[in-house]
Amino acid sequence: MAGKRIGFFTRLLDDAPAGERYRLAAEQIVHAERHGFDSAWVAQHHFHRDEGGLPSPLPFLAFVAARTSRIRLGTGIIILPMEDPVRIAEDTVTVDLLSGGRLEVGLGTGTTPETFLAFGIEKGERADVFARKLDMLHRAWSGAELGHPQNRLYPAADNLQERTWHATFSVAGAERIGKAGAGLMLSRTQPRSPERPDATLPEIQNPIVDAYLANLPSGIAPRIMASRSLFVADSRVEALRHAERGLNAVLERFVASGHRLADRSLAGLIRSLDTHVGAPDDVIASLQADTVLPRATDVVFQVHSVDPPHPLVLRSIELTAEAVAPALGWKEAPSQQPVRLRPLTATA
């Protein structure tokens, strides 16, 4: 992991009411910054509280930006087919300014079929809708006129288009992302095909990385983010106890999304759901076997689907920064000056 960036990712799934979820997630991101993490990412989910607790990631990141000074803040992902691209352009540039240029914009098509209906879209239309809205988002960021010569994005976007990331499960998607020169976002887990039910996650994702790199235009530096499920505890016994509870709580939801779980023992769930769990030495050994990670520029860790209590999330962040990431070659970036925002002043 030498030269790589490490990140903390949250779907805001703490076992608490929404407002408390937001407070805890913000505290976790502040803790990650304090321990040298390079980035923090939040997911967008509509309606389904057990899949994710945050329908509006950009207001949340503006809230977090005011409580942090260095850590980069990203969306993983904004479901673009369900959004107005001009409003996304306006909101992203505003959050980027408020954060001192720390915003990273992850985009995707979305997956939950019934959610699309609330936005007047059929799931089968999502790829076409995504492409159309992505083009409009890029036009807005570039300063093009929007429906009238006087309509141009204000505030103006600086280089947000160079900080976009797209998520995909497929080789075809990676080809498209590479051609666009965007960053590639890889999932922490994904269903296996009927033809290869025992394939490992690296066996699935290395061809995706190959396709991305093969299609990246000359002169564009690759940006490859590997998200991974990781929970580090002070002891293996403690880690496995929480993993057993957490993974069993979500396994039926994974089955419904296409995962095949022939072995429902704890070891089988850890393997099938691509979870790295244990004391630091256990997690280091597990991550060292992942052949995607040496190819990634960014490795982003999340405690889902173990979902331990908040104090143990904080402890996992500490152990990741203090033991796991350094053992894999990560070095904390030299401390940077905090972002200083000029105070707002009243005008006559």
Side-chain angles (χ1 to χ4, degrees):
M1 291 178 64
K4 299 186 189 303
R5 295 174 292 267
I6 65 166
F8 171 72
F9 182 98
T10 178
R11 295 160 65 98
L12 287 83
L13 289 173
D14 291 275
D15 186 15
E20 181 68 359
R21 282 184 170 187
Y22 299 161
R23 186 189 70 80
L24 294 176
E27 184 177 332
Q28 290 160 12
I29 292 171
V30 169
H31 200 64
E33 178 179 75
R34 189 176 298 129
H35 285 81
F37 277 64
D38 301 292
S39 65
W41 299 77
V42 296
Q44 179 182 45
H45 290 88
H46 296 285
F47 311 130
H48 305 282
R49 70 177 300 276
D50 293 332
E51 290 187 11
L54 186 64
S56 301
L58 291 168
F60 176 79
L61 289 181
F63 173 83
V64 172
R67 289 155 178 78
T68 55
S69 63
R70 178 193 57 80
I71 196 166
R72 301 197 67 76
L73 303 171
T75 59
I77 56 173
I78 293 171
I79 308 170
L80 191 57
M82 301 178 190
E83 301 288 346
D84 182 314
V86 176
R87 289 292 299 117
I88 291 297
E90 292 177 327
D91 286 349
T92 51
V93 71
T94 301
V95 174
D96 192 49
L97 287 171
L98 290 172
S99 67
R102 289 187 282 142
L103 187 64
E104 303 281 332
V105 185
L107 304 168
T109 58
T111 58
T112 308
E114 60 270 20
T115 303
F116 288 89
L117 301 178
F119 297 88
I121 306 168
E122 295 289 342
K123 184 179 178 182
E125 303 172 326
R126 61 185 178 144
D128 291 339
V129 175
F130 177 87
R132 185 172 69 251
K133 291 189 174 184
L134 180 63
D135 180 68
M136 178 61 75
L137 177 61
H138 286 173
R139 282 177 49 79
W141 277 340
S142 69
E145 67 176 60
L146 303 170
H148 187 279
Q150 293 184 2
N151 294 344
R152 298 182 192 273
L153 188 66
Y154 179 84
D158 181 10
N159 57 354
L160 277 175
Q161 191 163 332
E162 299 171 12
R163 287 182 268 144
T164 59
W165 303 73
H166 297 180
T168 188
F169 278 174
S170 71
V171 166
E175 292 174 350
R176 183 190 69 248
I177 296 166
K179 290 175 182 176
L184 172 69
M185 304 181 82
L186 299 172
S187 177
R188 62 187 172 124
T189 187
Q190 60 188 86
R192 276 50 170 176
S193 68
E195 296 78 24
R196 301 187 64 198
D198 297 322
T200 66
L201 188 62
E203 287 172 340
I204 296 171
Q205 291 188 341
N206 271 313
I208 296 175
V209 175
D210 292 339
Y212 170 75
L213 293 174
N215 286 275
L216 201 63
S218 176
I220 301 294
R223 290 179 291 129
I224 302 168
M225 179 192 299
S227 182
R228 292 297 183 260
S229 290
L230 177 144
F231 171 54
V232 196
D234 286 292
S235 74
R236 181 185 304 172
V237 171
E238 180 183 34
L240 293 179
R241 177 166 59 86
H242 288 284
E244 184 167 30
R245 179 202 57 78
L247 296 180
N248 275 286
V250 300
L251 66 87
E252 294 304 332
R253 192 155 63 249
F254 275 102
V255 169
S257 69
H259 281 73
R260 293 169 175 80
L261 303 177
D263 180 359
R264 297 199 177 195
S265 68
L266 178 56
L269 293 179
I270 289 172
R271 182 175 58 254
S272 297
L273 300 181
D274 305 301
T275 306
H276 304 272
V277 60
D281 286 347
D282 302 313
V283 174
I284 291 166
S286 180
L287 290 171
Q288 285 175 332
D290 189 331
T291 57
V292 171
L293 300 189
R295 310 180 72 186
T297 58
D298 296 74
V299 182
V300 176
F301 297 124
Q302 53 184 292
V303 296
H304 318 303
S305 292
V306 175
D307 292 311
H310 173 67
L312 295 183
V313 175
L314 300 182
R315 183 59 177 152
S316 184
I317 289 170
E318 294 168 4
L319 291 170
T320 298
E322 294 168 4
V324 174
L328 297 172
W330 173 75
K331 293 182 179 180
E332 183 178 349
S335 60
Q336 304 174 22
Q337 289 296 319
V339 174
R340 301 293 186 188
L341 301 181
R342 289 183 298 176
L344 297 176
T345 57
T347 58

